[in-house]
């Protein structure tokens, strides 16, 4: 590992932040915190923390000594000076003399001594930073350092690697106790450059930002070299069965359904997945000893709130044996949940019986032959889970190569998992109505498709946009931000539809809601129209809907989580207009299709509903068309667009809101909803 410190860049950071009135100490703190945060082998997703001791003026103009320490919610990779809120140092130091301090008291003292009361909560490791006398303190859960920290012989190994340069600190739950233990370890040998926190991670410190940072790089590099030199050769992994991509999607959807049934109605049923594979993962899963290692516990205690104490290890999945595998997997998920509930009962009794159980679902599922599957409440969450496990995997491989991977035991796992200050890191935002649901929108690059995607994203759903215009759909997905997936797809081509749905399932784990929206409006008098035009209209307005609905239903049945099929039908299905025969007849057939799905799949919990919008500005109703039609009727374009009972133009947003409403109406199927501002001729009867 190389130092990425650049003196010119450090100077630029100082000059840049000086313009905002930020002092040099905090500017350099920000610069080197970002260097640490930018390396995935050191820091991932809000892990690690950094600090600097400096002087600032308070509101009275008095100069006070402060500890600027990482605030909760900030990520080192993107941290700004505000991410290191200033806490008065003296009151923190006085705490050292106390024998006992509850977590609540600790948080309260830290908050009460912030110079800015609106700043985020200082890190749970604030006191550890405060009690070390050095100006700059850096802490990471580096992959290599953790491989050393999780050894039964950690102290002996550290002596071998570092001599007197580093002191070991016994495992203690982060907070007041750990801060005192770390300070004592340091004071026993004040010449040390860093601390190895057993079964946790590594601290380095120095008089300057550069010294603390470069010590981190050097001490971690020494750990890496030790692992490389000492590593025993790994046994050849057992033969892996290669899994064709189509099977993988089937397997994920089945797995997602199993999580839903294991929830027993008590816990969330809908989860999002992030599946990772590759040679390293395959080698890990192909080695029984390594895979079993993961069951011993988390590489660093910080992981436990996202990964739980251990993953669920399933049997290898082989091509063509999915059914038998799925039966065993379903039992294994049920067992995992039951075992977690037992763990909670047992540990909660030990810890005083005051904790509230968290859901018992696994967050990492290991499937030899396929990969590792991260499970989250949304895609971002599932990705974080998979990233953390990949880092943990690297630590486990290192640890087993040089000795034995031995993380914290069950009692410590429980104390960390149910520590209120850890749970607070996950935030307490109320779950959104469609959180954990995957929505596929066809015609995703059009006005209605884009508005619909936005409306579902606002409800917390994961979005997959399908469109034949691959560039436009990619733009819309990007504009949604987050994890929206753009898939180029010709909905009239069954092969293209099948591969698009495979991509969606591989990305999110399944499909819950289909908004079948792509359409075309071809014109011509019905007696004069060519067969080619008429058939083309049926291809897009009827068969394409059938193509996507069939794929969606196949996935929904595999998941056994129910589902919703929503179709953009249009008022033409019930209220034909002249010259629109090709459109109206195909849409009338589509309305019959919707009812057929409602009829045949109600028993699967799959609802099918139709929306009848009219006069929406879109690719099917362009400004020129509006001009022409308004002129024919002798009215202005805006009068034409508001030509309904409510006298208001109907927009793509109105259509999008109606789709969301239909998705949420749990007891409604076979429904036709109008979104046309009121039109007696188009009313359902
Ligand atoms: Zn830590």
């Amino acid at each position: 590992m190389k130092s990425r410190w650049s003196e010119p860049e450090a100077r630029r950071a100082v000059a840049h932040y000086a313009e905002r009135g930020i002092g040099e100490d905090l500017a350099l703190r920000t610069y080197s915190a970002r260097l640490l945060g930018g390396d995935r082998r050191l820091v991932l997703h809000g892990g690690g923390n950094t600090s600097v001791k400096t002087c600032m003026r308070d509101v009275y103009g008095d100069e006070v000594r402060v500890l600027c320490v990482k605030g909760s919610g900030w990520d080192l990779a993107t941290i700004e000076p505000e991410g290191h809120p200033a806490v008065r140092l003296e009151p923190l130091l006085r705490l050292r003399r106390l024998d006992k301090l509850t977590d609540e008291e600790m948080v309260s003292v830290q908050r009460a001594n912030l110079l800015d009361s609106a700043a985020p909560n200082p890190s749970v490791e604030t006191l550890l930073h405060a009690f070390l006398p050095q100006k700059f303190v850096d802490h990471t859960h580096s992959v290599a350092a953790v491989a050393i920290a999780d050894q039964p012989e950690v102290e002996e190994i550290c002596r071998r690697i570092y001599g007197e340069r580093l002191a070991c600190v016994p495992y203690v739950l982060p907070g007041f106790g750990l801060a005192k233990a770390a300070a004592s370890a340091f004071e026993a040998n004040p010449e040390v450059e860093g601390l190895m926190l057993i079964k946790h991670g590594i601290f380095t410190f120095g008089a300057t930002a550069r010294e603390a940072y470069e010590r981190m790089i050097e001490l971690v590099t020494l750990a890496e070299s030790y692992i490389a030199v000492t590593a025993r050769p790994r046994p050849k992994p057992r033969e892996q069965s290669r899994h064709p991509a189509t099977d993988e999607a089937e397997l994920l959807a089945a797995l997602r359904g199993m999580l839903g049934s294991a929830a027993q109605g008590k816990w969330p049923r809908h989860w999002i997945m992030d599946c990772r594979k590759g040679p390293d993962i395959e080698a890990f899963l192909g080695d029984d000893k390594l895979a079993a290692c993961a069951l011993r516990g988390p590489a660093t205690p910080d992981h436990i709130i996202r990964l739980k104490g251990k993953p669920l290890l399933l049997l290898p999945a082989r091509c063509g044996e999915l059914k038998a595998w799925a039966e065993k997997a379903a039992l294994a998920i049920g067992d995992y949940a039951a075992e977690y509930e037992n763990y909670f009962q047992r540990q909660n009794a030990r810890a005083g019986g005051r904790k509230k159980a968290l859901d018992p679902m696994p967050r990492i599922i290991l499937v030899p032959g396929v990969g590792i599957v991260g499970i989250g409440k949304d895609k971002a969450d599932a990705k974080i889970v998979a990233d953390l496990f990949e880092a943990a995997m690297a630590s486990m491989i290192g640890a087993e190569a040089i000795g034995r991977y031995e993380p914290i035991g069950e009692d410590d796992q429980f104390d960390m998992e149910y520590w209120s200050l850890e749970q607070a890191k996950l935030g307490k935002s109320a779950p959104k109505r469609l959180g954990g649901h995957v929505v596929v929108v066809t015609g995703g690059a059009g006005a209605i498709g884009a508005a619909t995607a936005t409306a579902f994203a606002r409800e917390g759903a994961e979005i997959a946009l399908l469109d034949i215009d691959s560039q436009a759909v990619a733009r819309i997905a990007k504009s949604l931000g987050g994890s929206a997936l753009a898939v180029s797809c010709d909905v009239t081509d069954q092969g293209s539809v099948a591969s698009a749905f495979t991509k969606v399932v591989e990305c999110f784990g399944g499909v819950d809601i289909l908004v079948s929206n792509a359409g075309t409006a071809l014109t011509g008098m019905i007696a004069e129209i060519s067969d080619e035009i008429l058939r083309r209209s049926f291809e897009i307005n009827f068969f394409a809907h059938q193509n996507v609905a069939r794929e969606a239903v196949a996935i929904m049945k595999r998941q056994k989580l129910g589902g919703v099929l929503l179709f953009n039908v249009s008022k033409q299905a019930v209220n034909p207009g002249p010259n629109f025969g090709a459109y109206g007849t195909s849409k009338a057939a589509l309305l019959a299709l919707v009812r057929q799905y409602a009829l045949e799949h109600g028993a699967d919990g799959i609802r099918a509903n139709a929306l009848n919008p009219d006069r929406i500005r879109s690719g099917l109703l362009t400004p020129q068309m509006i001009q022409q039609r308004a002129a024919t009727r002798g009215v202005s374009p805006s009068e034409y667009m508001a030509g309904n009972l409510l006298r208001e133009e109907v927009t793509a947003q109105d259509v999008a809101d109606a789709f969301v409403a239909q998705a949420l109406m749990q007891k409604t199927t076979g429904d036709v909803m109008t979104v046309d501002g009121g039109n007696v001729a188009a009313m359902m009867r």
Side-chain angles (χ1 to χ4, degrees), residues 309-523:
K310 56 183 174 182
L312 167 62
L313 174 60
L314 293 178
L315 291 171
R318 292 198 176 80
C319 193
E321 297 170 10
L322 187 60
K323 199 162 173 283
W325 177 87
E327 282 168 17
K328 293 198 183 98
L331 291 176
I333 291 184
D335 287 349
Y336 182 99
E339 209 180 288
Y340 183 88
E341 281 170 344
N342 287 338
Y343 149 82
F344 176 80
Q345 299 297 347
R346 182 166 70 233
Q347 286 291 335
N348 192 33
R350 177 189 62 84
R354 282 194 305 276
K355 300 292 182 183
K356 199 167 159 277
L358 299 163
D359 77 75
M361 292 318 148
R363 292 302 191 273
I364 282 283
I365 302 183
L366 310 179
V367 193
V370 176
I372 61 170
V373 186
I375 313 285
K377 62 180 181 351
D378 54 31
K379 182 69 183 177
D381 202 19
K383 270 186 179 162
I384 292 177
V385 163
D387 281 349
L388 293 182
F389 189 76
E390 278 199 62
M393 231 173 57
S395 292
M396 290 171 200
I397 293 171
E400 285 287 299
I402 57 166
R404 183 185 150 81
Y405 172 66
E406 200 179 86
I408 54 169
E410 187 184 287
D411 291 1
D412 289 325
Q413 287 178 31
F414 183 84
D415 291 345
M416 189 69 184
E417 185 177 6
Y418 282 87
W419 188 29
S420 55
L421 300 188
E422 274 300 285
Q423 286 301 326
K425 287 185 186 171
L426 294 177
K428 287 192 188 65
S429 53
K432 295 193 173 165
R433 292 192 289 184
L434 291 174
H437 287 69
V438 181
V439 182
V440 175
V441 182
T442 73
I448 292 176
T452 301
T454 309
F456 275 100
R458 209 174 289 136
E459 297 295 339
E462 302 298 333
I463 310 294
L465 291 155
L466 274 47
D467 203 287
I468 197 160
D469 184 341
S470 52
Q471 285 182 347
V473 77
R475 265 199 310 277
I476 303 283
K478 200 164 169 225
S479 75
L480 286 174
S483 314
L485 175 74
V487 187
S488 130
C489 174
D490 176 355
V491 284
T492 63
D493 174 348
Q494 287 184 16
S496 174
V497 169
S499 93
F501 274 81
T502 298
K503 282 191 188 119
V504 175
V505 176
E506 283 174 357
C507 178
F508 297 113
V511 171
D512 303 295
I513 299 167
L514 165 70
V515 181
S516 189
N517 162 66
T520 187
L522 302 172
T523 53

Side-chain angles (χ1 to χ4, degrees), residues 76-94:
L76 291 187
T78 52
I79 201 159
E80 291 290 339
E82 301 74 43
H84 285 103
V87 194
R88 289 172 190 274
L89 188 56
E90 296 312 323
L92 297 183
L93 293 178
R94 283 183 61 201

Side-chain angles (χ1 to χ4, degrees), residues 590-609:
L590 174 59
L591 183 54
L593 183 80
V594 177
R595 290 170 166 168
Q596 201 66 32
Y597 270 104
L599 169 69
E600 293 179 8
H601 292 287
D604 299 316
I606 299 172
R607 298 183 281 117
N609 293 313

Side-chain angles (χ1 to χ4, degrees), residues 125 139 141 200:
E125 279 160 334
H139 169 45
H141 304 141
H200 176 157

